[in-house]
Amino acid sequence: MIGVFDSGIGGLTVVRALMQCLPEYDILYFGDTARTPYGSKSPSTVVKYAVENTEFLLSKGARAIVLACNTASSVAPAILRQRYDIPFFEVISPAAEMAVQSSRTGRIGIIGTRATVASGVYEKIIERLRPECRVFTRACPLLVPLVEEGWLKKPETAMIVKKYLRPLKDRQIDTLILGCTHYPLLMDLIQAKIGRRVRVVDSSVGVANRLRQAITTDKHLQTRLSRRGCYRFFVSDTTAQFQHIASSILKRRIRLETFHN
Ligand code: DGL
């Protein structure tokens, strides 16, 4: 089974991409809705949560884990890889790779949570891949609660998105990385506010392709991952609102089960 975790329901954008890319593989999702957001927590707290989420997914039979959360991906992969003998897939390097490949001018913008932006991890990876790139970052802490609240098309959300993106627009970026798995749910709005000429990069497709590549080349991994097209969704706190948003992200009725960490 492929285990996937996020701080909330935004990581379902990654599940959506996995379902498209690897439709027959079983997926077990955990959204830590009781402790969201992770983006305003310290690195040590996020690492602690990532370890607990991993333990839960392993206990349910996960044999590979996707960190469907940029915040956790920015601080936890090294520790998880050191501690557990299974493959971990993070969302940051696939997005950075897609961005450096697609940018013509090398002017790349990144939006994410405070923790992701403070980690500087995107800059480090981009610098390694294409040193002449200029990277401009912007923390957007209000976007996660708006998404979790389902305010995807409200005028207030449009106004906030516009305000966050203004400085990046002024820097004349040609590529924008959505450095948070909640943001693809605001894709239309973000694209409209940053302008049609800017390529907006969503890491969910990149991480799904990376997992498919790993499965194709690693026969051992292939045999360890079950393939019955089964999906289970756990959250650490559930409300009718979460249930509704989760179903609308995946465009199918899903049942959220509760697990208290
Ligand atoms: N969806 C997450 C991310 O990609 C976390 C957002 C949060 O919990 O603050 O960073």
Side-chain angles (χ1 to χ4, degrees):
M1 210 178 279
I2 302 167
V4 181
F5 76 81
D6 178 37
S7 62
I9 47 178
L12 290 174
T13 57
V14 174
V15 171
R16 192 166 65 182
L18 289 169
M19 283 172 162
Q20 268 163 19
C21 195
L22 297 161
E24 70 278 26
Y25 283 85
D26 299 349
I27 296 176
L28 177 66
Y29 182 80
F30 179 67
D32 199 1
T33 47
R35 302 192 293 197
T36 196
Y38 283 6
S40 51
K41 310 268 183 331
S42 68
S44 60
T45 300
V46 176
V47 168
K48 176 177 169 285
Y49 292 169
V51 167
E52 288 169 4
N53 299 344
T54 298
E55 290 285 344
F56 169 69
L57 293 171
L58 289 175
S59 75
K60 291 278 179 201
R63 294 292 172 263
I65 290 183
V66 178
L67 283 69
C69 171
N70 282 256
T71 308
S73 293
S74 69
V75 292
I79 292 162
L80 296 175
R81 287 182 183 129
Q82 200 175 40
R83 208 180 266 210
Y84 303 100
D85 190 22
I86 57 154
F88 287 91
F89 297 85
E90 43 80 25
V91 284
I92 292 180
S93 37
E97 265 169 36
M98 281 159 77
V100 298
Q101 277 162 17
S102 82
S103 176
R104 275 173 303 105
T105 62
R107 299 178 73 83
I108 298 173
I110 296 157
I111 51 173
T113 65
R114 279 212 179 95
T116 300
V117 168
S119 76
V121 66
Y122 272 106
E123 288 96 317
K124 269 181 233 145
I125 298 176
I126 292 173
E127 156 86 33
R128 208 179 53 225
L129 294 172
R130 197 173 147 191
E132 78 279 12
C133 281
R134 295 282 313 275
V135 178
F136 307 97
T137 58
R138 181 92 163 120
C140 307
L142 294 174
L143 300 188
V144 168
L146 288 167
V147 168
E148 297 269 333
E149 198 49 44
W151 281 32
L152 304 182
K153 295 203 159 79
K154 300 260 186 194
E156 292 84 351
T157 308
M159 214 168 69
I160 292 168
V161 167
K162 187 174 174 192
K163 200 165 168 59
Y164 278 142
L165 294 181
R166 185 78 245 177
L168 298 176
K169 215 174 157 150
D170 291 345
R171 298 290 195 160
Q172 296 184 319
I173 57 166
D174 78 342
T175 304
L176 175 68
I177 297 178
L178 302 183
C180 173
T181 52
H182 284 66
Y183 300 172
L185 298 166
L186 297 169
M187 181 60 125
D188 293 348
L189 206 54
I190 290 172
Q191 185 73 73
K193 298 296 175 199
I194 197 68
R196 295 284 151 204
R197 270 192 257 167
V198 174
R199 169 152 192 234
V200 179
V201 173
D202 163 4
S203 60
S204 61
V205 181
V207 72
N209 284 334
R210 223 177 236 199
L211 185 53
R212 182 169 53 190
Q213 211 173 14
I215 290 173
T216 316
T217 51
D218 181 347
K219 295 286 169 235
H220 178 61
L221 177 62
Q222 202 181 93
T223 53
R224 299 191 79 201
L225 298 175
S226 48
R227 273 179 280 178
R228 285 162 305 184
C230 256
Y231 306 116
R232 280 185 87 180
F233 302 92
F234 285 87
V235 286
S236 47
D237 187 23
T238 187
T239 62
Q241 175 72 356
F242 287 147
Q243 188 77 51
H244 171 73
I245 301 171
S247 300
S248 69
I249 295 172
L250 295 177
K251 296 195 171 50
R252 58 167 83 185
R253 260 198 77 74
I254 61 166
R255 191 171 63 85
L256 295 177
E257 302 174 61
T258 313
F259 167 75
H260 298 289
N261 243 333

